[in-house]
Amino acid sequence: MGKESQNRLEHFAALKSKYQVTQYEDSLPTSLLYLILRKLDLGIELLDLESNWLGESRLEETLEAIKQKQKHKVQEFGNLEFEFSKLKSKYKATIYNGSWQSSHLYFILLKLESGNFLTDSEVKWLRANGLYETNKIAKEVKLFSQLKSKYKATQYEDSYPDSQLYQILKKLELTERLSNSEYNWLIDNELFETAEVFQQQESIKETHFAKLRDKYQANLHSDLSLSSPLYLILQNIDIESDLSESEINWLEQQGLNETIAIAQELQQTREFTALRYKYQVTHYEDSSPKSHLYKILKRLEFSNQLGEQDINFLRKRKLSKTIEIANNKYANSLKLNIESGETLNELEIKWLKNNGREDIIALAQQKHFAALKSKYDVLGYQDKSHTSLLYTILQKLELKERLEPTDVAWLQETKIEVLQPTYSYYTWQKESQYQETKLFSGKIWIAYHTIEANFYEQEFQRTDNKWNLANASSHWRKADEPEQALQLTNNLELDKIKENKLKSALLTSRGGAFRDIDKLDKAENCARQAIEYQPKSHHPYTLMGAICFERHQYSDGEYWFQEAIKRGANPRDMDSEIKRVVKNAKDESKRRQVINYLLNKDPQRYAWAKSYIKNSNNKI
């Protein structure tokens, strides 16, 4: 007999024994029973023909027993499936969709359920399958098991982290106090050794509490229980934590002022040590917070500058490194102020000079110069140096100081390029164009004339000289404040003024202010009065010419301008007045009317008027 036949015979015998049909005599592998038993063992359903054969062979009981085992097998299969589902839910692994039959997960979850630790490969498998919550619970299970072993609670079967025992053991690990209900729970579950550990911890804490009360002079406090707020406060003091305001208030209410004093002195000592390190106090022996050095270092910490007395104190004790740090701190604070747009005062500038920090002064001046150029709209001036004459002039204007004649002359002679608007129907057709203009214009012009106007007003109040009134009125007009000029020249009482030249000047200035606010009738009245008082002065004639151009009475305007030129007016001044009429025209059609008149009369002389014509060539 071959080996294979022998194996089949042994297998048949084993199946007959398993299914309790040893009474069946035929033991050959060719037996029908061997085929049937193999199918049953593999879970393959029998055919009717095979079932009938078992009945004919008087093996009905065997068939019924086999069916019961198969039924039980199916039921057990279902139980395993249900148990796997419950474990997945409990250990937060429901995202896993694999079969329990072919997955490592069932085995891993059963290990956790029984309180066993996972291997590194099992932990990696959980991570690889995205079961991070399950892995987290596994770590908790491991910690729970370790704590049970450490605190003699291994007889407690539940290993899941939501167990009350786990929460109790974690508190024991942190030497936190258990509540009465937690302690009673240990007793009720016969975890006496674990309860004893808690009692030992309490005894150690009570001894520790007593030592702390003695150390920090708090023995007068009546509540000696570990639940007393005093115990926690004294622990905080002992681990060098600063007292909170609420803790200080509580100690004061309990009359424990000595405890407060000790805690505060310890806090100050720690602070003093830290400050000494920070400000490099290396060879100063006194480390007591009562030291004057402590006060100086605190001032240095909370402010940016030390006073001269403090610096002298440090200098006498040869704490040069501390002085250097203090000076650098103050210098850096000034630098930050400059960067944020602040300016230096005289004391700060003096300090910087005395301490050799001219670089910060220069930085402040450069920043200040840039800010002033922006404020007065002269960013086109290329020189950024704080030594520029323009910076000096802008500083004077900012301080409301009068400019020197040389300053004004320099402003008139110096030009910058400014962006000029161009007119186009389509914005993409606009091109940037620059034009030279005098520095003595725009906001500088207005600031200068405002300062001059105020100066002459003050001079008039001081001297009662009405020529100052005429000058102030003229400057207010140039400062674009015609209302101020009119207010200044109200109630002139001309009959009390003897000098006709002065009367004419005041009336001309007042008439100009009326012209500025478009009250041309009142302006004309003032101009004609001024001519009556001084027929030889060209100023009122110039005013009359400008008024006529404002009214578009061009031939009359030309007449008055010619009369002004006869009396000494510069023709360029006439052109300036006409240019002002064109520039300030509020109605575009009226501006175009003036421009057409000028270009028709003298296209070369009035070529500048073309720049005021809005370009309409691109319109469709």
Side-chain angles (χ1 to χ4, degrees), residues 199-216:
Q199 292 293 352
Q200 291 172 1
Q201 287 184 352
E202 291 293 280
S203 177
I204 292 170
K205 289 178 185 177
E206 287 170 358
T207 303
H208 183 231
F209 188 17
K211 289 180 179 179
L212 291 177
R213 291 197 306 272
D214 186 59
K215 181 177 180 179
Y216 296 109

Side-chain angles (χ1 to χ4, degrees), residues 8-21:
R8 289 164 65 86
L9 284 172
E10 290 174 0
H11 184 224
F12 188 15
L15 288 174
K16 286 201 295 181
S17 175
K18 179 178 179 180
Y19 291 104
Q20 300 178 3
V21 287

Side-chain angles (χ1 to χ4, degrees), residues 558-575:
E558 291 286 356
Y559 165 77
W560 287 108
F561 281 146
Q562 288 301 319
E563 289 299 308
I565 291 171
K566 288 178 185 178
R567 288 161 177 78
N570 190 325
R572 285 182 298 180
D573 294 338
M574 308 303 102
D575 287 354

Side-chain angles (χ1 to χ4, degrees), residues 76-85 88 96-107:
E76 186 62 23
F77 188 93
N79 289 341
L80 288 170
E81 182 73 36
F82 179 70
E83 182 182 314
F84 181 49
S85 178
K88 284 204 300 181
Y96 185 77
N97 296 319
S99 169
W100 65 271
Q101 300 175 65
S102 59
S103 168
H104 295 296
L105 183 60
Y106 201 172
F107 179 75

Side-chain angles (χ1 to χ4, degrees), residues 238-251:
D238 206 47
I239 61 173
E240 299 186 347
S241 292
D242 296 343
L243 292 180
S244 65
E245 186 176 349
S246 61
E247 289 173 331
I248 293 173
N249 291 337
W250 188 88
L251 290 171

